[in-house]
Amino acid sequence: MDGLVLDWFRAHARDLPWRRPGTTPWGVLVSEFMLQQTPVARVEPIWLDWMTRWPTPSAFAAASRADVLRAWGKLGYPRRALRLHAAAAVIATEHGDAVPSDVDALEALPGVGSYTARAVLAFGYGRRAPVVDTNVRRVVARAVHGAGDAGPARTRADLADVDALLPDDDATAAVVSAGLMELGAVVCTARAPRCGDCPVIAVCAWQAAGRPAYDGPRKPAQGFAGTDRQVRGRLLDVLRAATDPVERAALDAAWSDAAQRDRCLHSLLVDGLAEQHDDGRFALPA
DNA sequence: TAGACGTGGTT
DNA sequence: TAACCAAGTCT
């Protein structure tokens, strides 16, 4: 299966900015942070701007958190921006401004988990590493296990499944990893897989089984309207848009439920996404 | 370990 | 239209 994925990817890979020659491991790390739970189309312009502005970890670490959060814009989950900022500081001071190239050092960085660490190894350093994201888990669930979808993560088993698909050679394995993700992203999609365009259809266990429907547990629907996440987003939007610290009244206007608003404002302060000045006004953190 | 954590496009 | 989905991590 790896050979099929390899040939298909070489012929059909999307031209994404962070895949272009010359992208540094730092550029890859930035892209992976931004792509956590966020679609490619929304990441592209922000990533381009980011790399021009902050081409190295140390350059980025020197920026203020307010500048970082404004540059992050409405990418979502802004705590990722803060974690990337903290990770850059560690890289600059403890790793000589070079993104680590071993799993343990990478996973020790804030905001870097099992997926991101291996993605950096594979796409930043051309190394053989089982890269397991939601796309790859779906591809493996179908093509290897014949299931309709992936179901809950089985971390160790997922890593082993993907590891078994990778060729020995580092450079080739890295491309296969990119190919498996690409396959899940553009062909073996969650809702309406384009099996007619699939390079592994001849060896796909799901296809062979007659494409049975997924029968495992469904992840609970994640609401948004009315949640603290929405309120935090509203409050942060006010702070991002303001050039000067804002009065509490400006934040009060962003959400009518006072108790929820206060709770969310407090949580933003605790998370380091906002701060209160001595005069009582609020702003993005310095 | 289940749930929190942003945002917006698609079906 | 409401629900689903998008290159996860942390607690």
Side-chain angles (χ1 to χ4, degrees), chain A residues 190-250:
Chain A
R191 278 190 215 178
R194 300 163 50 203
C195 297
D197 297 325
C198 183
V200 305
I201 189 170
V203 299
C204 177
W206 188 45
Q207 196 68 220
R211 296 175 58 175
Y214 174 69
D215 61 351
R218 280 288 171 194
K219 57 188 78 171
Q222 177 176 267
F224 180 63
T227 62
D228 284 5
R229 275 192 349 281
Q230 182 181 26
V231 179
R232 285 163 56 101
R234 288 275 187 88
L235 295 174
L236 207 51
D237 205 28
V238 171
L239 299 181
R240 264 196 309 261
T243 52
D244 298 310
V246 304
E247 302 289 345
R248 184 180 285 274

Coordinates of all heavy atoms in Angstrom, one line a residue, chain A residues 190-250:
Chain A
A190 N -14.2 12.1 5.5 CA -15.1 11.6 6.5 C -16.5 11.4 5.9 O -17.1 10.4 6.2 CB -15.2 12.6 7.7
R191 N -17.0 12.4 5.2 CA -18.5 12.3 4.8 C -18.7 11.6 3.5 O -19.4 10.6 3.5 CB -19.0 13.7 4.7 CG -19.5 14.3 6.0 CD -20.2 15.6 5.8 NE -19.9 16.5 6.9 CZ -20.4 17.7 7.0 NH1 -21.2 18.1 6.1 NH2 -20.1 18.5 8.0
A192 N -18.1 12.0 2.4 CA -18.3 11.4 1.1 C -17.0 11.0 0.5 O -16.6 11.7 -0.4 CB -19.2 12.4 0.3
P193 N -16.4 9.9 0.9 CA -15.2 9.5 0.3 C -15.2 9.3 -1.2 O -16.2 8.8 -1.7 CB -14.9 8.2 1.0 CG -16.2 7.7 1.6 CD -16.9 9.0 1.9
R194 N -14.2 9.8 -1.9 CA -14.2 9.7 -3.4 C -13.4 8.4 -3.8 O -12.3 8.5 -4.3 CB -13.5 10.9 -3.9 CG -14.2 12.2 -3.5 CD -13.3 13.5 -3.7 NE -12.7 13.5 -5.0 CZ -11.6 14.2 -5.3 NH1 -11.0 14.9 -4.4 NH2 -11.1 14.1 -6.5
C195 N -14.0 7.3 -3.5 CA -13.4 6.0 -3.7 C -13.0 5.8 -5.2 O -12.0 5.1 -5.5 CB -14.2 4.9 -3.2 SG -14.6 4.9 -1.5
G196 N -13.7 6.5 -6.1 CA -13.4 6.4 -7.5 C -12.0 7.0 -7.8 O -11.4 6.6 -8.9
D197 N -11.5 7.9 -7.0 CA -10.2 8.5 -7.2 C -9.1 7.9 -6.3 O -8.0 8.4 -6.3 CB -10.3 10.0 -7.0 CG -11.3 10.7 -7.9 OD1 -11.3 10.2 -9.1 OD2 -11.9 11.7 -7.5
C198 N -9.4 6.8 -5.6 CA -8.5 6.3 -4.6 C -7.4 5.4 -5.2 O -7.8 4.4 -5.9 CB -9.3 5.6 -3.5 SG -8.2 5.0 -2.2
P199 N -6.2 5.7 -4.9 CA -5.1 4.9 -5.4 C -5.0 3.5 -4.7 O -4.3 2.6 -5.2 CB -3.8 5.7 -5.1 CG -4.2 6.5 -3.9 CD -5.7 6.9 -4.1
V200 N -5.6 3.3 -3.6 CA -5.5 2.0 -2.9 C -6.8 1.2 -2.9 O -6.9 0.3 -2.1 CB -5.0 2.2 -1.4 CG1 -3.7 3.0 -1.4 CG2 -6.0 2.9 -0.5
I201 N -7.7 1.6 -3.8 CA -9.0 0.9 -3.8 C -8.8 -0.6 -4.0 O -9.6 -1.4 -3.4 CB -9.9 1.5 -4.9 CG1 -11.3 1.0 -4.7 CG2 -9.3 1.3 -6.3 CD1 -12.4 1.7 -5.5
A202 N -7.9 -1.0 -4.7 CA -7.7 -2.4 -5.0 C -7.3 -3.2 -3.8 O -7.5 -4.4 -3.7 CB -6.6 -2.6 -6.1
V203 N -6.7 -2.5 -2.8 CA -6.2 -3.3 -1.6 C -7.0 -2.8 -0.4 O -6.6 -3.1 0.8 CB -4.7 -3.1 -1.4 CG1 -3.9 -3.7 -2.6 CG2 -4.4 -1.6 -1.2
C204 N -8.1 -2.0 -0.5 CA -8.8 -1.5 0.6 C -9.7 -2.5 1.2 O -10.6 -3.0 0.6 CB -9.6 -0.3 0.1 SG -10.6 0.5 1.4
A205 N -9.5 -2.7 2.5 CA -10.3 -3.7 3.2 C -11.8 -3.3 3.4 O -12.7 -4.1 3.4 CB -9.7 -4.0 4.6
W206 N -12.0 -2.0 3.4 CA -13.4 -1.4 3.6 C -14.1 -1.7 2.3 O -15.3 -2.1 2.3 CB -13.3 0.0 3.9 CG -14.6 0.7 4.2 CD1 -15.6 0.1 5.1 CD2 -15.2 1.9 3.8 NE1 -16.7 1.0 5.1 CE2 -16.4 2.1 4.3 CE3 -14.7 2.9 2.9 CZ2 -17.2 3.2 4.1 CZ3 -15.4 4.0 2.7 CH2 -16.7 4.2 3.2
Q207 N -13.4 -1.4 1.2 CA -14.0 -1.7 -0.1 C -14.4 -3.2 -0.3 O -15.5 -3.5 -0.7 CB -13.0 -1.2 -1.2 CG -13.6 -1.0 -2.6 CD -14.6 0.2 -2.7 OE1 -15.6 0.1 -3.3 NE2 -14.2 1.2 -2.0
A208 N -13.4 -4.0 0.1 CA -13.6 -5.4 -0.1 C -14.8 -5.9 0.8 O -15.4 -6.9 0.4 CB -12.3 -6.1 0.4
A209 N -15.0 -5.2 1.9 CA -16.1 -5.7 2.8 C -17.4 -5.1 2.4 O -18.4 -5.3 3.1 CB -15.8 -5.3 4.2
G210 N -17.4 -4.3 1.3 CA -18.7 -3.7 0.8 C -19.0 -2.4 1.5 O -20.2 -2.0 1.6
R211 N -18.0 -1.7 1.9 CA -18.1 -0.4 2.6 C -19.2 -0.4 3.7 O -20.2 0.4 3.6 CB -18.4 0.6 1.5 CG -17.2 0.8 0.5 CD -17.5 1.8 -0.6 NE -17.9 3.1 -0.1 CZ -18.1 4.1 -0.9 NH1 -18.0 4.0 -2.2 NH2 -18.4 5.3 -0.4
P212 N -19.1 -1.2 4.7 CA -20.1 -1.2 5.8 C -20.1 0.1 6.5 O -19.0 0.8 6.6 CB -19.5 -2.3 6.7 CG -18.1 -2.4 6.4 CD -17.9 -2.1 4.9
A213 N -21.2 0.5 7.0 CA -21.3 1.7 7.8 C -20.6 1.6 9.1 O -20.4 0.5 9.6 CB -22.8 2.1 8.0
Y214 N -20.1 2.8 9.6 CA -19.5 2.8 10.9 C -20.5 2.4 12.0 O -21.6 3.0 12.0 CB -18.9 4.2 11.1 CG -18.3 4.4 12.5 CD1 -17.1 3.8 12.9 CD2 -18.9 5.2 13.4 CE1 -16.6 3.9 14.1 CE2 -18.4 5.4 14.7 CZ -17.2 4.8 15.0 OH -16.7 4.9 16.3
D215 N -20.1 1.5 12.9 CA -21.0 1.1 13.9 C -20.5 1.4 15.3 O -21.2 1.0 16.3 CB -21.4 -0.4 13.7 CG -20.1 -1.2 13.9 OD1 -19.0 -0.7 14.0 OD2 -20.2 -2.5 14.0
G216 N -19.4 2.0 15.4 CA -18.8 2.3 16.8 C -19.5 3.5 17.4 O -20.4 4.0 16.9
P217 N -18.9 3.8 18.6 CA -19.5 5.0 19.4 C -19.2 6.3 18.6 O -18.2 6.5 18.0 CB -18.7 4.9 20.7 CG -17.4 4.2 20.3 CD -17.8 3.2 19.3
R218 N -20.2 7.2 18.7 CA -20.1 8.5 18.1 C -19.6 9.5 19.2 O -20.0 9.4 20.3 CB -21.4 9.0 17.6 CG -21.8 8.4 16.2 CD -21.0 9.0 15.1 NE -21.2 8.3 13.9 CZ -20.4 8.4 12.8 NH1 -19.3 9.2 12.9 NH2 -20.6 7.8 11.7
K219 N -18.7 10.3 18.7 CA -18.2 11.3 19.7 C -19.3 12.3 19.9 O -20.1 12.7 19.0 CB -17.0 12.0 19.2 CG -17.1 12.7 17.8 CD -15.8 13.2 17.3 CE -14.9 12.1 16.7 NZ -13.7 12.6 16.0
P220 N -19.6 12.8 21.1 CA -20.7 13.6 21.5 C -20.6 14.9 20.7 O -19.5 15.5 20.5 CB -20.5 13.9 23.0 CG -19.1 13.6 23.3 CD -18.7 12.5 22.3
A221 N -21.7 15.4 20.2 CA -21.7 16.6 19.4 C -21.2 17.8 20.3 O -21.6 17.9 21.4 CB -23.2 16.9 19.0
Q222 N -20.3 18.6 19.6 CA -19.7 19.7 20.4 C -20.4 21.0 20.0 O -20.2 21.5 18.9 CB -18.2 19.7 20.0 CG -17.5 20.9 20.6 CD -16.0 20.9 20.3 OE1 -15.2 20.3 21.0 NE2 -15.6 21.4 19.1
G223 N -21.2 21.5 20.9 CA -22.0 22.7 20.6 C -21.0 23.9 20.7 O -19.9 23.8 21.1
F224 N -21.6 25.1 20.3 CA -20.7 26.3 20.4 C -21.5 27.5 20.9 O -21.1 28.2 21.8 CB -20.1 26.6 19.1 CG -19.2 27.8 19.1 CD1 -18.1 27.8 19.9 CD2 -19.6 28.9 18.3 CE1 -17.3 29.0 19.9 CE2 -18.8 30.0 18.4 CZ -17.6 30.1 19.2
A225 N -22.7 27.6 20.3 CA -23.5 28.8 20.7 C -23.9 28.8 22.1 O -24.4 27.8 22.7 CB -24.8 28.8 19.8
G226 N -23.5 29.9 22.8 CA -23.8 30.0 24.2 C -22.8 29.4 25.2 O -22.9 29.5 26.4
T227 N -21.8 28.8 24.6 CA -20.8 28.2 25.5 C -19.7 29.2 25.9 O -19.6 30.3 25.3 CB -20.0 27.1 24.7 OG1 -19.3 27.7 23.6 CG2 -20.9 26.0 24.2
D228 N -19.0 28.8 26.9 CA -17.9 29.7 27.4 C -16.9 30.0 26.2 O -16.3 31.0 26.1 CB -17.1 29.1 28.6 CG -17.9 29.2 29.9 OD1 -19.1 29.7 29.8 OD2 -17.4 28.8 30.9
R229 N -16.7 29.0 25.4 CA -15.8 29.2 24.2 C -16.3 30.3 23.4 O -15.4 31.1 22.9 CB -15.7 27.9 23.4 CG -14.8 26.9 24.0 CD -14.3 25.8 23.1 NE -15.1 25.4 21.9 CZ -16.2 24.8 21.9 NH1 -16.8 24.4 23.0 NH2 -16.7 24.4 20.7
Q230 N -17.6 30.4 23.1 CA -18.0 31.5 22.3 C -17.8 32.9 23.1 O -17.4 33.9 22.5 CB -19.5 31.4 22.0 CG -20.0 32.5 21.1 CD -21.5 32.4 20.8 OE1 -22.3 31.8 21.5 NE2 -21.9 32.9 19.6
V231 N -18.1 32.9 24.3 CA -18.0 34.1 25.1 C -16.5 34.6 25.2 O -16.2 35.7 25.0 CB -18.5 33.9 26.5 CG1 -18.4 35.2 27.4 CG2 -20.0 33.5 26.5
R232 N -15.6 33.6 25.4 CA -14.2 33.9 25.4 C -13.8 34.5 24.1 O -13.0 35.5 24.0 CB -13.4 32.7 25.8 CG -13.4 32.3 27.2 CD -13.0 30.8 27.4 NE -11.6 30.6 26.9 CZ -10.5 30.6 27.6 NH1 -10.6 30.7 28.9 NH2 -9.3 30.4 27.0
G233 N -14.3 33.9 23.0 CA -14.0 34.4 21.7 C -14.4 35.8 21.5 O -13.7 36.7 20.9
R234 N -15.6 36.1 22.0 CA -16.2 37.5 21.9 C -15.3 38.5 22.6 O -15.0 39.6 22.1 CB -17.6 37.5 22.4 CG -18.7 36.8 21.6 CD -19.2 37.8 20.5 NE -20.3 37.1 19.8 CZ -21.6 37.2 20.2 NH1 -21.9 37.9 21.3 NH2 -22.5 36.7 19.5
L235 N -15.0 38.1 23.8 CA -14.2 39.0 24.7 C -12.8 39.3 24.0 O -12.3 40.4 24.0 CB -14.0 38.4 26.1 CG -15.3 38.3 26.9 CD1 -15.0 37.6 28.2 CD2 -15.9 39.7 27.2
L236 N -12.2 38.2 23.6 CA -10.9 38.3 23.0 C -10.9 39.2 21.7 O -10.0 39.9 21.4 CB -10.3 36.9 22.7 CG -8.8 36.8 22.7 CD1 -8.2 37.4 24.0 CD2 -8.4 35.4 22.5
D237 N -12.0 39.0 21.0 CA -12.2 39.8 19.8 C -12.2 41.3 20.1 O -11.6 42.1 19.3 CB -13.5 39.4 19.1 CG -13.4 39.6 17.6 OD1 -12.3 39.6 17.0 OD2 -14.5 39.9 17.0
V238 N -12.8 41.7 21.2 CA -12.8 43.1 21.6 C -11.3 43.5 21.9 O -10.9 44.6 21.4 CB -13.7 43.3 22.8 CG1 -13.5 44.7 23.4 CG2 -15.1 43.0 22.5
L239 N -10.6 42.7 22.6 CA -9.3 43.1 23.0 C -8.3 43.1 21.8 O -7.5 44.0 21.7 CB -8.7 42.1 24.0 CG -9.5 42.1 25.4 CD1 -8.8 41.1 26.3 CD2 -9.6 43.4 26.0
R240 N -8.5 42.2 20.9 CA -7.7 42.2 19.7 C -7.9 43.4 18.8 O -6.9 44.0 18.2 CB -8.0 41.0 18.8 CG -7.1 39.7 19.0 CD -7.3 38.8 17.8 NE -8.7 38.5 17.6 CZ -9.3 37.4 18.0 NH1 -8.7 36.5 18.8 NH2 -10.6 37.2 17.8
A241 N -9.1 43.8 18.7 CA -9.4 45.0 17.9 C -9.0 46.3 18.4 O -8.8 47.3 17.7 CB -10.9 45.0 17.6
A242 N -8.9 46.4 19.8 CA -8.5 47.7 20.4 C -7.0 47.9 20.3 O -6.2 47.1 20.6 CB -9.0 47.6 21.8
T243 N -6.7 49.2 20.1 CA -5.3 49.6 20.1 C -4.9 50.0 21.5 O -3.7 49.9 21.8 CB -5.0 50.7 19.1 OG1 -6.0 51.8 19.4 CG2 -5.2 50.3 17.7
D244 N -5.8 50.4 22.3 CA -5.5 50.8 23.7 C -6.3 49.9 24.6 O -7.3 49.2 24.2 CB -5.9 52.2 23.9 CG -5.1 53.2 23.0 OD1 -3.9 53.1 23.0 OD2 -5.7 54.0 22.4
P245 N -5.9 49.8 25.9 CA -6.7 49.1 26.9 C -8.1 49.5 26.9 O -8.4 50.7 26.7 CB -5.9 49.4 28.2 CG -4.5 49.7 27.8 CD -4.7 50.4 26.4
V246 N -9.0 48.6 27.2 CA -10.5 48.9 27.1 C -11.1 48.9 28.5 O -10.6 48.2 29.4 CB -11.2 47.9 26.2 CG1 -10.6 47.9 24.8 CG2 -11.3 46.6 26.8
E247 N -12.1 49.7 28.7 CA -12.8 49.8 29.9 C -13.7 48.5 30.1 O -14.0 47.8 29.1 CB -13.8 51.0 30.0 CG -13.1 52.3 29.8 CD -12.3 52.7 31.0 OE1 -12.5 52.1 32.1 OE2 -11.5 53.6 30.9
R248 N -14.0 48.2 31.3 CA -14.9 47.0 31.5 C -16.2 47.1 30.7 O -16.7 46.1 30.2 CB -15.1 46.8 33.0 CG -15.9 45.5 33.3 CD -16.2 45.4 34.8 NE -15.0 45.0 35.6 CZ -14.6 43.7 35.7 NH1 -15.3 42.8 35.2 NH2 -13.6 43.4 36.4
A249 N -16.7 48.3 30.6 CA -17.9 48.5 29.9 C -17.9 48.0 28.4 O -18.9 47.4 27.9 CB -18.3 50.0 29.9
A250 N -16.7 48.1 27.8 CA -16.6 47.6 26.4 C -16.7 46.1 26.4 O -17.3 45.5 25.4 CB -15.2 48.0 25.9

